Amino acid sequence: MKELKIALAGNPNCGKTSLFNVLTGLNQRVGNYPGITVDKKTGYCQIDNGTKARVVDLPGIYGLYPKSEDEYVAHLVLTQPNNPQQPDLVVVVADATSLKRNLLLCSQIMDLKIPVVLALSMVDIAKNRGVSINIDLLSDLLQIPIVVTNPRTGEGADDLIAAVSRLNKTRFQYTGDFTTLDFLPGNFIEQIKNITQATSDYAALQLSVHTDKLKFLDKEQKENINSLLLQNKLSITSIQTEDILARYKKIDTIIETTVSRNNTVQQQSAITSGFTNKADKWLMHPVLGYVFLFVIMFIVFQSIFRFAAYPMDWIDSAFGSLQSWAAGALPDSWWSNLITEGIIAGIGGIVIFVPQIAILFFFITVLEDSGYMARISVLSDRIMQAAGMNGRSVVPLISGMACAIPAVMATRTISN
């Protein structure tokens, strides 16, 4: 049976990982990319009778100009010549509520000349905000298949698999150029392709921009590329700027043609946004913001350690009574000790922490869904920098007050 390599790419928080879970189910595993500690999530799904797909969930990335290590992983998988991990096909997951930003990454991957299917998520949320997208017209303008999906419910997963199957059979790929590279000297790209063996013009541009950070390029290749940049008086910043501006210019034209907005719904959304802005004036105030932060954290910790003490005492008392009853009712033997001192005491020692964990996760969910968790990170960034950390360190710090295990896991969100 033929194995098809599929990569899921998309911006952070676009529903990409949820879609990965829907496609692969329990048939997945997590490891690390060679030599680095970035998660590599791989799973399998059946495309058709003759094809099984190996699906890789790439780290979230906003575009092919990465900053962090995990973003570089996605960049290398997509751009490195002769990379055994390079996919046969890419499913770009795009958030319909932020279509402009998401189409930037999609257009870049299209120009790498890798077959692309666009999975449009959060269409229902966009509609609630008064945004309507002409899917058929958008597909015609981009010249790629588009499937509407809902990663939370799994809706559209079968349509996506069918679109992948059709694309795999035809081996269709975007043959044009989303934007031209006419801001570069005429033979610059060809020279880069000769040095790096890049498979497309845009891949060559990407390799020239990130030369110094690409480990697969040897010293001579890097020197030759840097020499070309110097000879042509090109800077990395200018190349990146010209490329992104040209892409957004075309994306704006596409969005104007394919996206319509309901003014009434948008006015209601503006009212909600106005309330948020007013709340932020207080919550993000340079002085009062810390007062609100202290009060909220005080309520959270009081709930975890003081209010949770009542159900914890009830659980402790209940298991203590059960243990005493079992000790009196059972005969004196090794197996009765196993039940009273082992099983009952062991289960009680675990269950007693459930109230604390439940309360902690309740508050974390409320803070996250309300958007205040991100504000805590921004607000506390200056304080955390004094300890050599940043605002992202706050979430692991808060979690660690209740349990070290989720705190250690949460440190993976810290970039450095």
Side-chain angles (χ1 to χ4, degrees), residues 24-295:
T24 60
L26 298 176
N27 192 15
Q28 56 184 253
R29 58 187 175 87
V30 178
N32 285 334
Y33 286 92
I36 51 178
T37 57
V38 176
D39 270 353
K40 180 182 181 181
K41 297 178 182 177
T42 307
Y44 293 87
C45 71
Q46 194 71 31
I47 299 299
D48 51 44
N49 292 334
T51 307
K52 184 178 182 181
R54 178 164 63 87
V55 185
V56 177
D57 180 19
L58 296 179
I61 188 171
Y62 289 106
L64 294 182
Y65 293 100
K67 304 296 181 184
S68 62
E69 185 181 42
D70 53 346
E71 290 178 331
Y72 265 104
V73 166
H75 181 274
L76 287 173
V77 170
L78 295 170
T79 62
Q80 181 180 347
N82 304 315
N83 187 344
Q85 299 184 65
Q86 191 170 72
D88 301 311
L89 185 147
V90 178
V91 174
V92 178
V93 186
D95 177 0
T97 64
S98 304
L99 190 59
K100 178 178 177 178
R101 187 186 67 200
N102 284 254
L103 285 182
L104 173 65
L105 175 62
C106 182
S107 70
Q108 290 174 319
I109 296 176
M110 288 162 55
D111 278 346
L112 293 176
K113 302 302 181 267
I114 303 174
V116 172
V117 176
L118 182 64
L120 206 56
S121 67
M122 305 186 192
V123 174
D124 53 338
I125 298 176
K127 186 175 292 186
N128 291 337
R129 296 180 182 178
V131 178
S132 179
I133 302 172
N134 188 329
I135 305 296
D136 293 335
L137 180 57
L138 180 62
S139 178
D140 289 340
L141 293 176
L142 292 177
Q143 299 178 37
I144 58 173
I146 299 178
V147 179
V148 176
T149 64
N150 188 333
R152 291 174 299 169
T153 63
E155 183 181 353
D158 291 339
D159 294 335
L160 178 60
I161 290 175
V164 168
S165 177
R166 288 193 298 270
L167 192 63
N168 179 48
K169 289 176 180 177
T170 60
R171 301 305 301 156
F172 170 80
Q173 66 183 42
Y174 183 74
T175 55
D177 292 310
F178 191 84
T179 56
T180 60
L181 303 179
D182 53 9
F183 59 90
L184 295 171
N187 61 346
F188 176 77
I189 289 296
E190 288 302 319
Q191 289 176 302
I192 297 294
K193 290 173 76 173
N194 291 333
I195 295 171
T196 63
Q197 306 304 312
T199 55
S200 68
D201 289 354
Y202 194 65
L205 178 140
Q206 285 295 322
L207 297 183
S208 70
V209 169
H210 303 290
T211 299
D212 294 334
K213 294 185 179 180
L214 300 178
K215 297 179 181 179
F216 65 86
L217 295 177
D218 59 37
K219 183 179 179 181
E220 183 180 355
Q221 287 175 311
K222 291 181 178 181
E223 288 177 351
N224 289 337
I225 293 172
N226 287 326
S227 176
L228 279 175
L229 290 169
L230 190 62
Q231 289 174 16
N232 291 281
K233 298 179 180 180
L234 294 171
S235 70
I236 292 173
T237 303
S238 64
I239 293 175
Q240 179 177 341
T241 302
E242 290 283 354
D243 178 37
I244 292 178
L245 288 177
R247 291 182 182 279
Y248 273 136
K249 184 177 180 180
K250 184 169 181 178
I251 289 170
D252 284 337
T253 303
I254 292 174
I255 288 179
E256 286 178 7
T257 309
T258 60
V259 178
S260 59
R261 292 172 172 81
N262 186 316
N263 292 330
T264 303
V265 177
Q266 285 199 320
Q267 287 173 0
Q268 294 173 347
S269 178
I271 292 173
T272 304
S273 178
F275 172 78
T276 302
N277 292 334
K278 289 178 181 178
D280 278 345
K281 288 182 180 180
W282 295 94
L283 296 176
M284 301 301 292
H285 191 275
V287 177
L288 295 177
Y290 291 103
V291 176
F292 282 109
L293 176 60
F294 175 80
V295 170

